[in-house]
């Protein structure tokens, strides 16, 4: 289930006024982005970027980063829970969310890199806009982003005192409260403070305990901006987020005739009946989640005429505790508590001129993960009488200290008044010092012989047959160039072509229960990316049509598959030799008149492996994935929206709107013919209505999400003979009321 992520404490509460909505729709060039580290119209940026203002996100009731895919064809975000988010852009991404690897898609908060997608639960407090950049971005962003980047930009503190308070309620006993205050402190110092809390009622119930998978989130942000002169700007931000879940309730999917499923680590021959209702499951334990993160950002900008020197420092401290019923049944077989903490530091220095950006980047990440299997009375451990009384703990430990530095730059040359050549490059060096270990409550012994239990005395119990510990080091380096041409046909049309290379560092395995697996590291992946497109505005900017086509040639693409290695599930990662991805995207928006605004977007993606054989050393689990589709990559995705805005004679106004999203079939496993890991095509729809008082002082919104109550999986995992899934939320409907004071609403 996707977790709720607060949008701006100001923006989420404010459904933008009809006048503001029309002004934004009327001219796409009013949306200014910093995708190339300088402010420019989105229509002048020669890369594929989709940007949303805080007002646009609010109108579509986007409360969380993981819902951005509803507005962005080609972007796929799926979650098992807030700690396990998987992000793909144009088929590029991975299922990995652990400390042993880097993501293919970069997540940035005010340009500061967030290393793991467990950071998706962070609040987008006071959001100015969100930018989704597609393709390699290493020549401008501090950390490698071979598949793209999601960059969230928070609002600056206001020059006049203003603020808001908001409260809302929705079905499933969901409520939220939010408040913000922003304004000047002295003539040269201004600041903002915001806070929000939401208790989101869950849709899945554990029928054995009566507990639902409710989620509680708290978030706060303090921002200070000091401007002692016209040429010096200093800003500091401190943000905290906290997420708690009462239960983690996935569902077991049948893999045998008659609706039977084989639970993970069950005794030989044990099967259970898979639930027929994904919203009512039987777990012997509810599970829980507790995630906390503190993010600090300190930025200094100093102007020297046409040149600006920027120093950007970021620090993030995060801790995660998760406990879940891994086999997802009423049996006491295996629980999976996870403890993870990390401290991340980054420092970026860059110089920006009229036609260039150069910079240097240093990054340090110290991360620790402890994954415990608690084998219960109904587990395989009961077949090992010499191991002692259940429960017993089997522990896999991964600790990785990453040190990275890079230099990067980009230079623009105007070959003619209309034709511009852009060249750039990035050089990176990564060092990863790591420790792998596994501990067991079982006696030390050899793996069991082939065949069903019981096994002879002296044999260790799964999943850790022989405890181990070792440390090692990995080193990687890469140079990645970029070349781009853009031609301005006229003031309203541009065509562009880009060639770029992307790089993602290699890494280590996650939950390695054997030393042999722990020593199986994986190599970096690299991509040669080609893209051509156009951006056009018509009818005095009322109609905007943008399109692009792309081709990616991947080498050593990192792919993860959950295997049952030595009797326990292991997130095993290996390199596919090659992969080929190509497709196209279309995005059109039209301000039909002063009252109607429409948007349509479509993405087509072909993403297949080259030579790729999945082999976890078990002959029964070898899968030849050559030519198969890359997981979680639907061939077609569509988005459409329609808004109606009207102002009455008494200055009250109303906004009515609807958004619809459709995706074609997709498979969540490298074996794309597996029917149990296939998600059929589905669609979701949203309707909304907002009434504004004069001056937008009061705004009352009612809304409905997933109004057709579509039943679909947000994520599916195969672990040997077991297949488990996480069902997405059903229909949610509610209302919120906002009161704004101080400066007029925008």
């Amino acid at each position: 289930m996707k977790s709720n992520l607060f949008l701006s404490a100001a923006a989420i509460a404010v459904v933008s006024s009809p006048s503001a909505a029309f002004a934004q729709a009327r001219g796409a060039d009013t949306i200014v982005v910093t995708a190339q580290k300088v402010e420019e119209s989105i229509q002048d940026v020669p890369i594929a970027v989709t940007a949303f203002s805080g007002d646009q996100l609010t109108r579509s009731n986007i409360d969380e980063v993981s819902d951005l895919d509803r507005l962005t064809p080609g972007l796929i975000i799926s979650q098992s829970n807030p700690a396990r988010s998987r992000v793909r852009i144009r088929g590029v991404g991975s299922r990995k969310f652990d400390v042993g690897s880097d993501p293919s898609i970069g997540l940035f908060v005010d340009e500061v890199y967030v290393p793991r997608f467990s950071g998706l639960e962070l609040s987008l407090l006071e959001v100015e806009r969100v930018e989704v950049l597609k393709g390699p971005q290493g020549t401008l962003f501090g950390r490698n982003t071979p598949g793209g980047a999601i960059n969230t930009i928070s609002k600056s503190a206001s020059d006049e005192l203003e603020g808001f308070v908001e409260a809302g309620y929705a079905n499933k006993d969901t409520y939220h409260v939010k408040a913000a205050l922003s304004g000047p402190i002295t003539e040269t110092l201004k600041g903002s403070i915001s806070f929000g809390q939401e208790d989101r009622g869950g849709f899945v119930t554990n029928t054995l305990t009566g507990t639902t998978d409710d989620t509680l989130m708290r978030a706060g942000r303090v921002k200070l901006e000091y401007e002692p002169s016209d040429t010096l700007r200093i800003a500091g931000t401190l943000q905290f987020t906290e997420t708690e879940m009462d239960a983690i309730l996935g569902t077991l999917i049948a893999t045998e005739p008659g609706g039977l499923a084989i639970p993970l680590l069950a005794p030989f021959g044990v099967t259970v009946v898979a639930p027929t209702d994904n919203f009512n499951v039987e777990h012997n334990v509810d599970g829980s989640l507790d995630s906390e993160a503190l993010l600090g950002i300190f930025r200094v900008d100093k102007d020297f005429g046409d040149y600006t020197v920027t120093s950007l420092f970021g620090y993030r401290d995060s801790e995660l505790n998760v406990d879940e019923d891994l086999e997802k049944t009423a049996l006491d077989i295996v629980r999976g508590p996870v403890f993870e903490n990390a401290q991340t530091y980054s420092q970026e220095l860059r110089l920006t001129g009229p036609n260039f950006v150069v910079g240097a980047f240093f990054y340090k990440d110290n991360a620790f993960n402890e994954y415990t299997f608690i084998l219960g009375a109904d587990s395989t451990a009961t077949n090992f009488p010499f191991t002692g009384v259940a429960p017993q703990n089997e522990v896999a430990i991964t600790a990785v200290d990453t040190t990275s530095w890079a230099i990067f730059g980009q230079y623009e040359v105007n070959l003619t008044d209309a034709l511009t050549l852009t060249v750039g490059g990035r050089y990176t060096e990564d060092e990863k010092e790591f420790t792998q270990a596994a501990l067991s409550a079982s006696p030390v012994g050899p793996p069991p012989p082939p065949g069903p239990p019981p096994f002879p005395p002296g044999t260790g119990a799964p999943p850790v047959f022989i405890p181990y510990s070792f440390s090692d080091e990995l080193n990687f380096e890469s140079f990645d160039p970029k070349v781009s041409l853009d031609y301005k046909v006229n003031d309203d049309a541009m065509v562009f072509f880009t060639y770029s290379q992307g790089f993602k560092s290699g890494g280590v395995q996650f939950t390695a229960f054997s030393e042999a697996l722990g020593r199986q590291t994986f190599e970096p992946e690299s991509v040669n990316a080609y893209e051509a497109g156009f951006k056009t505005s018509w009818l005095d900017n009322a109609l905007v049509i943008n399109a692009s086509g792309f081709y990616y040639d991947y080498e050593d693409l990192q792919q993860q598959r959950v295997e049952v290695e030595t009797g326990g599930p292991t997130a095993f990662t290996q390199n596919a030799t090659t992969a080929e991805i190509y497709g196209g995207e279309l995005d059109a928006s039209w301000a039909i008149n002063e009252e109607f605004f429409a948007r349509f977007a479509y993405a087509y993606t072909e993403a297949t492996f080259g030579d790729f054989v999945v082999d976890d050393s078990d002959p029964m689990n070898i899968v030849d994935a050559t030519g198969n589709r890359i997981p979680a990559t639907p061939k077609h995705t569509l988005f459409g929206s329609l808004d109606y805005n009207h102002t009455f004679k008494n200055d009250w106004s109303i906004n009515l709107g609807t958004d619809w999203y459709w995706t074609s079939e997709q498979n969540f496993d490298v074996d794309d013919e597996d029917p149990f890991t296939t998600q059929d095509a589905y669609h979701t729809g949203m309707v909304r209505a907002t009434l504004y008082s004069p001056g937008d002082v009061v705004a009352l919104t009612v809304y409905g999400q997933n109004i057709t109550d579509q039943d679909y999986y947000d994520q599916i995992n195969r672990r040997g003979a077991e297949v488990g899934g996480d069902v997405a939320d059903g229909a949610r409907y509610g209302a919120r009321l906002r009161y704004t004071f101080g400066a007029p609403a925008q």
Side-chain angles (χ1 to χ4, degrees):
M1 175 186 300
K2 290 182 177 179
S3 65
N4 182 51
L5 314 174
F6 299 115
L7 264 189
S8 90
I12 189 171
V14 187
V15 177
S16 28
S17 66
S19 58
F22 176 74
Q24 245 177 23
R26 186 70 185 175
D29 59 354
T30 62
I31 300 179
V32 176
V33 297
T34 53
Q36 298 194 114
K37 301 301 184 184
V38 292
E39 292 188 352
E40 53 191 332
S41 162
I42 190 171
Q43 290 300 100
D44 294 332
V45 180
I47 59 177
V49 53
T50 303
F52 305 101
S53 69
D55 288 342
Q56 289 174 311
L57 295 172
T58 300
R59 284 199 304 276
S60 295
N61 213 46
I62 296 296
D63 295 342
E64 49 194 85
V65 173
S66 58
D67 268 345
L68 284 174
D69 54 357
R70 287 201 286 113
L71 303 182
T72 315
L75 170 66
I76 302 295
I77 303 177
S78 59
Q79 286 187 316
S80 301
N81 57 59
R84 296 181 175 177
S85 302
R86 302 153 176 99
V87 182
R88 291 183 181 274
I89 296 178
R90 295 174 169 175
V92 179
S94 68
R95 293 171 59 181
K96 294 184 72 62
F97 44 78
D98 58 272
V99 303
S101 65
D102 297 327
S104 299
I105 309 301
L107 176 63
F108 296 83
V109 178
D110 288 338
E111 302 181 18
V112 171
Y113 177 68
V114 178
R116 275 165 290 281
F117 286 124
S118 57
L120 282 183
E121 83 276 8
L122 60 87
S123 302
L124 301 179
L125 296 170
E126 295 291 77
V127 67
E128 179 69 29
R129 66 185 177 277
V130 177
E131 303 169 357
V132 180
L133 295 86
K134 301 174 181 180
Q137 305 296 325
T139 61
L140 291 174
F141 281 84
R143 188 67 174 150
N144 293 307
T145 57
I150 300 174
N151 188 26
T152 66
I153 309 297
S154 64
K155 284 186 176 180
S156 296
S158 57
D159 293 325
E160 300 179 29
L161 184 65
E162 61 183 35
F164 79 92
V165 291
E166 177 187 319
Y169 184 80
N171 62 324
K172 299 293 181 178
D173 290 328
T174 296
Y175 72 87
H176 75 263
V177 292
K178 299 185 179 78
L181 182 66
S182 180
I185 301 173
T186 68
E187 290 186 357
T188 57
L189 179 67
K190 57 184 179 178
S192 63
I193 183 170
S194 53
F195 174 80
Q197 176 170 311
E198 180 161 3
D199 193 343
R200 170 170 283 199
F203 282 82
V204 183
T205 299
N206 185 353
T207 58
L208 294 183
T209 64
T211 306
T212 56
D213 57 342
D214 301 342
T215 304
L216 174 66
M217 280 153 293
R218 299 184 184 92
R221 172 183 291 218
V222 176
K223 189 171 187 176
L224 293 174
E225 301 174 35
Y226 177 55
E227 192 169 348
S229 69
D230 293 339
T231 62
L232 179 62
R233 297 170 299 282
I234 302 173
T237 301
L238 190 64
Q239 174 179 299
F240 83 90
T241 57
E242 181 180 6
T243 304
E244 299 176 5
M245 291 189 70
D246 296 335
I248 299 178
L249 302 175
T251 187
L252 198 60
I253 301 173
T255 59
E256 299 291 322
L260 298 179
I262 302 174
L264 177 72
L265 290 175
F268 182 75
V270 170
T271 58
V272 297
V273 177
T276 56
D277 181 357
N278 288 329
F279 295 101
N280 290 281
V281 299
E282 293 185 347
H283 288 201
N284 71 296
V285 293
D286 290 323
S288 62
L289 180 144
D290 187 355
S291 174
E292 298 178 356
L294 181 68
L295 176 66
I297 301 172
F298 184 72
R299 175 171 179 152
V300 178
D301 291 278
K302 174 62 178 175
D303 297 333
F304 298 91
D306 293 335
Y307 304 93
T308 300
V309 175
T310 299
S311 171
L312 182 63
F313 173 79
Y315 170 75
R316 185 171 189 264
D317 192 332
S318 62
E319 182 172 303
L320 170 69
N321 286 276
V322 180
D323 189 6
E324 62 180 312
D325 184 355
L326 288 180
E327 93 286 344
K328 302 175 174 63
T329 72
L331 300 174
D332 182 16
I333 296 178
V334 58
R335 290 166 50 198
V338 175
F339 170 74
E340 177 182 300
N341 66 14
Q343 295 80 41
T344 306
Y345 312 81
S346 63
Q347 174 65 59
E348 181 175 339
L349 289 172
R350 66 173 181 261
L351 173 65
T352 304
N355 60 345
F356 71 89
V357 177
V358 293
F361 177 75
F362 176 80
Y363 171 79
K364 181 74 173 178
D365 181 52
N366 302 320
F368 174 87
N369 183 284
E370 180 180 278
Y371 204 139
T372 303
F373 277 24
I374 301 178
L375 303 176
D378 297 321
S379 73
T380 315
T382 60
N383 290 281
F384 294 78
F386 47 85
T387 62
V389 179
Q392 65 180 42
N393 295 353
E394 308 289 301
V395 183
I397 294 172
T398 303
V400 183
D401 291 344
T402 301
T403 303
S404 176
W405 68 269
I407 53 175
F408 58 90
Q410 183 168 294
Y411 183 74
E412 295 180 359
V413 181
N414 295 320
L415 302 179
T416 69
D417 290 341
L419 182 63
T420 300
L421 170 68
T422 301
V423 294
R426 174 191 181 88
Y427 176 77
T428 304
E429 287 191 5
D430 284 357
E431 177 186 87
K432 295 188 175 184
E433 299 176 334
F434 67 95
T435 296
Q436 294 274 37
L439 309 175
S440 175
S442 311
V444 176
F455 300 128
T459 302
V464 180
F465 293 107
I466 302 177
Y468 75 93
S469 176
F470 75 91
S471 298
D472 207 341
E473 179 181 309
L474 299 173
N475 291 277
F476 309 102
E477 61 179 326
S478 180
F479 174 73
D480 304 295
K482 173 185 176 179
V483 179
S484 176
L485 277 173
D486 65 90
Y487 179 74
K488 295 189 181 301
V489 181
N490 53 45
D491 290 340
D492 298 319
M494 177 184 69
V495 295
F496 64 91
F497 170 81
T498 299
Y499 165 76
S500 57
Q501 290 184 358
F503 162 82
K504 183 173 83 168
S505 185
V508 302
Q509 301 296 340
F510 176 49
T511 62
F513 289 112
S514 71
E515 183 172 356
L517 180 62
R519 292 189 179 277
Q520 292 186 42
T521 59
F522 45 90
E523 295 299 312
E525 66 179 31
S526 60
V527 60
N528 291 293
Y530 307 83
E531 181 167 357
F534 64 80
K535 297 187 175 186
T536 61
S537 301
W538 309 79
L539 306 177
D540 191 25
N541 284 342
L543 175 64
V544 175
I545 302 175
N546 298 336
S548 63
F550 58 89
Y551 174 81
Y552 295 167
D553 181 15
Y554 256 91
E555 294 287 340
D556 295 322
L557 180 67
Q558 297 168 11
Q559 280 296 307
Q560 182 190 72
R561 191 168 192 251
V562 180
E563 302 288 359
V564 181
E565 187 264 346
T566 64
T570 298
F572 178 77
T573 299
Q574 65 184 103
N575 295 96
T577 53
T578 59
E580 183 180 66
I581 304 174
Y582 62 89
E585 296 161 347
L586 173 68
D587 199 326
S589 56
W590 184 20
I592 302 170
N593 55 35
E594 291 189 359
E595 293 187 328
F596 285 94
F597 174 69
R599 178 174 175 244
F600 171 81
Y602 167 71
Y604 169 75
T605 307
E606 284 285 359
T608 56
F609 294 113
D611 296 330
F612 182 34
V613 177
V614 179
D615 181 5
D616 70 339
S617 301
D618 181 351
M620 300 301 294
N621 274 328
I622 294 178
V623 175
D624 186 354
T626 301
N628 289 2
R629 287 190 66 83
I630 293 176
T633 307
K635 184 176 291 187
H636 307 281
T637 51
L638 287 167
F639 169 80
S641 69
L642 180 65
D643 275 84
Y644 170 74
N645 305 291
H646 181 74
T647 300
F648 301 101
K649 291 182 179 179
N650 59 3
D651 288 334
W652 285 74
S653 56
I654 192 171
N655 169 264
L656 305 175
T658 183
D659 299 329
W660 290 87
Y661 172 83
W662 178 85
T663 178
S664 62
E665 175 185 285
Q666 59 183 301
N667 200 299
F668 287 94
D669 195 67
V670 296
D671 181 3
D672 62 0
E673 296 182 356
D674 187 342
F676 297 106
T677 56
T678 298
Q679 169 61 58
D680 294 333
Y682 66 90
H683 66 275
T684 60
M686 175 193 174
V687 293
R688 58 190 184 277
T690 302
L691 180 66
Y692 299 92
S693 70
D696 303 337
V697 174
V698 177
L700 174 64
T701 301
V702 293
Y703 62 89
Q705 294 175 292
N706 191 11
I707 58 174
T708 57
D709 202 21
Q710 290 285 297
D711 187 355
Y712 63 95
Y713 291 106
D714 200 40
Q715 178 67 33
I716 301 175
N717 285 315
R718 174 175 283 281
R719 298 186 291 203
E722 182 200 72
V723 179
D726 297 279
V727 65
D729 283 354
R732 192 181 297 277
Y733 45 89
R736 61 178 180 260
L737 179 66
R738 184 190 74 118
Y739 172 74
T740 300
F741 56 89
Q746 299 297 316

